[in-house]
Amino acid sequence: MRWTTAAVVCIAGIVLASGCARRENHSTMLELALENSPNRLDPAFVVDATEGEICSLLYDGLVGFAPDGSLVGALARTWTISDDGRRYEFHLDTHATFSNGKPVRAADIVASFRRVLDPATASPRAWVLARIHGAAEFQAGKDAGIAGLTTPDDSTLVLSLDEPFAPFLSLLALPAARVIDTTTAKSGDAPVGSGAWQLAEWLRSDRITLTPNPHRARSADGVTGIRYRIIPEPFTRTAEFESGSLDVLEIPDAEVPRFLADKKYKDHILKRPELRVFYIGLNNTKFTDVRVRRALNHAINVPAIIRVLASGEAVPAHGSVPPGLPGHHDRPGYEYDPARAKALLAEAGYPNGLSLEIWHRESADGNRVVEAVQGYLLAAGVKATLVTREWSAFKEAVNGGKVDAFLLDWIADYPEAENFLFPLFDTANQGGGGNRARFSDADVDRRLDDAARMVDAGARANAYAAIDSLVYVHAPWIYLYFPTSFHAVSPRVSGYRLPAIYLANDFSAVHKAD
Amino acid sequence: MNVGTAATAAELPRVRTAPSLWRRLVSHRSGLVGALLVGIVVFLGVMAPLLTRSDPNVIDMDNALQAPSVSHPFGTDMFGRDVATRVMYGARFSLEVGVMSRVIALVIGTVLGLLAGFYGGRTERWIMRLADVTLAYPGLLLLIAVMAAVGPSRLSLFVSIGVVGWAGVARLVRAQVLTVKEREFILAIRSLGAPDPIVIVRHILPNVLTPIIVIFSMGLGASIMAESSLSFLGLGAQPPTASWGSMIANGIDYLRVAPWLSLAPGIVVTLTVLGFNLLGDALRDLSDPRLGRPARK
Amino acid sequence: MLQYALKRIFWFIPILLGVATVTFLLLYVLPGDPVLSMVGERYDAATIQNLRTQMHLDDPLPKRYARYLSDLAHLDFGTSYITGVPVWKSIQERAPHTFRLAVAAMTIAVVLGMTIGVLAAWKRGSPFDYLLIGGSVVGVSMPVFWLGVLLIYVFSARLGLLPASGFGDGRLAYLVLPALTLSQASTAYVARITRSSVLDEAGENYVKVARAKGLSEPRLLVRHALRNALLPIITVVGIDFGSYLSGAVLTESIFAWPGLGRFTLDAILKRDLPAIQGSVLFMAAAFMLVNLAVDILYARVDPRVKLGGAA
């Protein structure tokens, strides 16, 4: 009896002791969660939104994004653009300092750009800087340097383009154009940067800890650091937030109604319409009849999917440019009409329906959306087989034009309609460039080319809206929706804001009470 | 994976040519419970199309996420599908995969085990090393790798779970064969010049049949568990096919909002595996208690 | 003993070679170009080709196999395609976490399992006994991922007592739920073995004599009976420990535990060949070492068992 009692008491003691110990959450850091572990944080190799978000905290570019998505100076205090749109002159902030104490000079910027364009680096994002005059020659090995980049003095950088490109400034805010200290760069680790934060600890697949850049001015009682924990399961993330160990939670779609109704949380929820579009791309080289593609659009009840699966607040997509961007337009869409879908299919020569495969990546929300689509298609006589693949296999097949249809989303790197329409629908971008639906229309190509050159913002917006309408008529996709995300913030945290672009995150103004 | 091992021939029991186990099963209490559970699940699985009104895969978003009620005893899922119906069809799927994969494991394992035990020498060494390699693999990971390699489909589920399970079967069969091999009537037949295949198939095999049946049933629970785990990870049943594992995976995100979505399949899979485990243990106890060893994950 | 151990270790090499070869072939067959994992959304053919050449992906199969084996011989597990970190370094980072979890699970299995088993034997036949044993049988049959989710739901989301994920700053609290989940099946087995072993002993003559002499029953059970239960318990726990080290994939996934199992799962899904090969080999080696240790321990505990009759 003594022995068993002892054992029982021991176990109970352990459980209780650990329970008690845990209740106190004294962390002065901002505790956040990520679904996936970033693979690389080196700006030359950053390829997705997770990596981009952290990258923008560690590294600055010539320009950056303000929370509302507008461009603001970062390393560059001011700049001028020549009338022909080809020459940019940047005047740098002389106080900018890397986290190791070295000041940032124009030569550092050139060195960073060189590294990204250098074929030996094999950066997957070299295209960001490829428009710079002389970049092509440098990459081909014909030039030792980049002709279009000059530094008249330590705090001035002059950049020339081959052709004017209105959104070019936005490209300079992307991770690939951010500046590192090339003299101390290491591979596998994150290089030294001049951003508001520096990397203190990176335990892969567990957490990433950032501490403030000591050489940047910041408010005295802001958070002492930012800790990202990698938690793949949405359910676990929610549990962690509710037990107090996470400060901010992107609420999983399934839980949004519950959080909105819960009086503990409802006043602490931030909402953000995302600059993002969910769609099912159709292989336009296989489904050549526009009636078939329109039929597939009519077969899906997008509002019902939104209501049940997407927290009810997403906006049905009647185009690819999200609301909030100039170039977005509210046009009538392909209404849910299974009868019409069947009629169109019959007209196109498929009176008994057809079969296709829909490929998608592994993701809880994506899985559900695509299963709903499958169900709707079945009701319209279309038999869809779902194929799950992990990212690289998926990309290879989709980019190679080998799949019938695929679920994907596109998120804005910079807040321009061009960032959607050009990569997604221009013939030159078929495959890996972004146009995975293999859509091709000479008229659209020409208009995109013209719009890129327009300097007047209003004219450009109208032009892009017209292009979006034109593409929509061709129905290269099954258009789904523009999502809205909800974020719950712990009552202890103040000053947390949701920026419009993921690259605009800046936690310098965040405070955490005890 | 339940891959029970018998380390030495000395540990092995004598094999009785088994009289019907039926009688003794009936009086073995936990075995009865097991048989009952298995019986219910098999019944539900087999009769599913007759017992259910709705198609398990047709969606009806207007009725999504309904709480359990008279018309939907386990509620509806996020696509409006009746959960009870899907649980029953899930039974069909899991039983099919469980049985088929176990049969494959059994066939491969028995053949190789017979050969290894009978011929000994090099044959035995190579086969056992191959078994060691298979067993050295961290269980679920091999399955995941194979499924990722060949793509999830019914057939690949059968084959991969079966292929991973052969090693334990082979070891046990070999150990059994080693004992039977030395018995007098076998020696007699061989000295009379009977060809090897005949000896193996007509004389040895029947005498190891009982343990084989036991091994088969002991591994069924593990096979079903493996299938559930793979489906949970998305590498097993594909939408819209109903499987308990994928239903649980889908339901986890709704645990606070609609707990019945994962509770129902979770309870059912537990009871099913429980039933098979109890049944398997009972068969083992009745035929020979020293036959199996505890399971590995 | 030493001879036996050395002989077993000697056999590790061909088995590991087998494991390595099987992994290599499986990965060769895996669809999906690993280079694509590395290049993100927009890229061109030249970048792809550059990377492929750098990674020797276009060499013929025998040449790749040979290079693979020679790297292994130098204990070079390569560098992860995805993270750019040397695989051996990743393994070194993750293995201790898996080890901690395994030790915790093993402890729970032994302590909790034996406690339950003794209690059940003591109260044999009572509803308590049935409940305990029933519970432990159910424990073996419940899917690990389901138990994990239930535990998180009850103890973290509802009661807020224990953290739901990660290993935090290393405090014991973070270990409790994952270890409980992982030890589920082992605890059940240990409980059953303990119980039946204790009951077997209880029927022995010397026990009856001692009882007649007036010795208190529980002490008897504990002292004498448990000793006999030790052997099978060692076996179970040893085998399970080996498989815990091999990474309990599901448990680590649910609890975001930064161990080897999850690392390998991610690597398989992302087709990170060097990481997969390295970690699978490591786990297989660990598993075999633990099995060897268990066999040796077994032999020391029970002098009747002679080593050398291994299968």
Side-chain angles (χ1 to χ4, degrees), chain A residues 1-4 7-8 11 14-15 18-19 21-24 37 39-40 47 119-120 122-125 127 188 203-207 229-233 235-236 239-240 242-243 389-393 395-396 399 409-410 419 422-423 429 432-434 436, chain C residues 31-34 36-43 47 50-51 54 82-85 93-94 111-112 114-115 118-119 122 149 152-153 156-157 160-169 171-174 176 218-219 222 226 253-254 256 258 262 269-271:
Chain A
M1 194 51 180
R2 253 182 300 152
W3 190 89
T4 36
V8 169
I11 294 170
I14 292 176
V15 172
S18 49
R22 190 218 143 305
R23 244 9 221 126
E24 316 301 304
S37 172
N39 292 320
R40 315 284 291 260
V47 294
S123 163
R125 289 291 174 117
W127 62 263
L203 295 177
R204 283 177 200 273
S205 302
D206 188 56
R207 60 173 178 242
R229 289 164 53 200
I230 317 289
I231 308 177
E233 297 281 331
F235 168 74
T236 313
E240 285 289 71
E242 291 194 276
S243 63
R389 286 281 183 270
E390 63 76 37
W391 188 217
S392 72
K395 252 195 289 197
E396 183 181 41
N399 293 341
D409 63 302
W410 185 266
N419 186 226
F422 177 66
N429 287 319
R436 294 171 172 110
Chain C
D33 185 347
L36 288 174
S37 288
M38 302 162 68
V39 294
E41 292 268 345
R42 295 167 71 169
Y43 55 83
T47 313
N50 257 344
L51 284 170
Q54 259 183 18
I82 308 294
T83 62
V85 174
E93 275 175 5
R94 321 287 302 247
V111 170
L112 194 58
M114 285 174 97
T115 311
V118 167
L119 278 175
W122 187 35
V149 168
I152 294 181
Y153 179 59
S156 186
L161 275 181
L162 293 166
S165 76
F167 82 111
D169 46 14
R171 264 177 309 167
L172 206 57
Y174 286 87
V176 173
R219 198 186 290 169
V222 170
L226 277 185
S253 286
I254 305 248
R262 198 152 75 90
L269 293 178
K270 290 187 190 167
R271 238 207 133 197

Side-chain angles (χ1 to χ4, degrees), chain B residues 10 44 50 59 107 159 238 245-246 280:
Chain B
L44 288 178
L50 295 173
I59 69 171
V107 168
V159 171
Q238 297 298 295
S246 52

